[in-house]
Amino acid sequence: MSNSPVHPRRGLMLVVSSPSGAGKTSLSRRLLGDHAELELSISCTTRGPRPGEQDGREYHFIDRAKFDVMIEQDAFLEWADVHEHRYGSPTAPVMAALADGRDVLFDIDWQGARMVAASAPQDVVRVFILPPTMADLKRRLHARAQDAEDVIERRLGRAKGEIEKWTDYDYVIVNADFDQAFAELAHIYHAERLKRMRNPGLEPLVQALLNEPL
Ligand code: 5GP
């Protein structure tokens, strides 16, 4: 897809949530890789980096004091306590991207999804990723081998509470097969981009079509 649209458009906020291990991050990264006009909202977190994670790429890794200063400064579009740590989406880069006609993807939990949707209901599209079975979720968390056993157990313990929030979302994808789930996510994104209200820049084209003599 082109990075410089011919017609000015209104950017959207694509919120993707799931219990840990349902494949949301891999699906999101692939969508981002395929679309230069879609950028990731890089969250701040007070948790430490996992092996392979880089500050400023997956997250901005900051301490609790810095996080709380950012809350006081109203620097977050949303923030929440998740798995005993704080996570938040900084507002400024999101606003800059949207003002530039780009779209923003959020890999955030249901609490954040609610807050972002409340702040801009027209511009938010919410997608929930379900695992096909709980056994599959457990297997993926272990296969990822990035977390200690007690962390995995805590994440599994929270999974059902997160799954219960699926009714908040506009779309739901069951990630039984990665390629299929990715195709579904891409279809949702492409269709949402084509919504009439997101393409006010088409007005002159429509006027020109209507004014053209037959
Ligand atoms: P993880 O520690 O596995 O990277 O993320 C744990 C959970 O926190 C995931 O469900 C992830 O989507 C969520 N999360 C990550 N960043 C944010 C954020 O900025 N805000 C909120 N509300 N949740 C987040």
Side-chain angles (χ1 to χ4, degrees), residues 59-204:
Y59 285 104
H60 301 290
F61 296 99
I62 63 176
D63 63 21
R64 177 65 186 255
K66 173 110 193 276
F67 199 102
D68 291 347
V69 167
M70 289 182 71
I71 294 175
E72 273 165 36
Q73 292 172 337
D74 209 15
F76 290 121
L77 193 58
E78 63 74 35
W79 67 270
D81 286 309
V82 188
H83 305 306
E84 287 97 51
H85 292 287
R86 277 194 172 168
Y87 295 80
S89 311
T91 308
V94 175
M95 294 308 149
L98 293 177
D100 215 19
R102 280 173 287 139
D103 303 316
V104 182
L105 186 148
F106 296 80
D107 173 340
I108 60 178
D109 84 331
W110 63 271
Q111 306 173 81
R114 271 189 193 173
M115 287 168 73
V116 174
S119 73
Q122 297 267 43
D123 297 324
V124 175
V125 179
R126 284 172 290 179
V127 182
F128 199 83
I129 314 285
L130 285 172
T133 62
M134 290 310 278
D136 186 81
L137 191 70
K138 198 167 180 173
R139 187 184 53 72
R140 286 195 221 183
L141 275 177
H142 281 104
R144 182 158 91 175
Q146 284 177 323
D147 291 310
E149 194 57 37
D150 61 319
V151 175
I152 292 181
E153 288 309 315
R154 275 209 303 279
R155 283 171 186 268
L156 274 172
R158 284 183 52 107
K160 289 189 182 174
E162 288 171 19
I163 290 171
E164 277 171 359
K165 300 298 185 304
W166 77 300
T167 51
D168 277 5
Y169 289 75
D170 304 306
Y171 296 94
V172 58
I173 295 173
V174 180
N175 185 13
D177 174 85
F178 182 85
D179 288 337
Q180 162 96 28
F182 175 71
E184 289 169 357
L185 181 62
H187 287 321
I188 292 166
Y189 175 52
H190 296 161
E192 287 285 344
R193 281 177 58 94
L194 293 175
K195 277 206 165 149
R196 181 177 47 75
M197 63 153 190
R198 301 216 162 92
N199 292 281
L202 286 174
E203 188 63 34

Side-chain angles (χ1 to χ4, degrees), residues 4-25:
S4 46
V6 176
H7 307 289
R9 50 182 297 277
R10 179 174 166 136
L12 65 85
M13 300 192 242
L14 184 66
V15 174
V16 184
S17 304
S18 75
S20 290
K24 154 193 60 172
T25 303

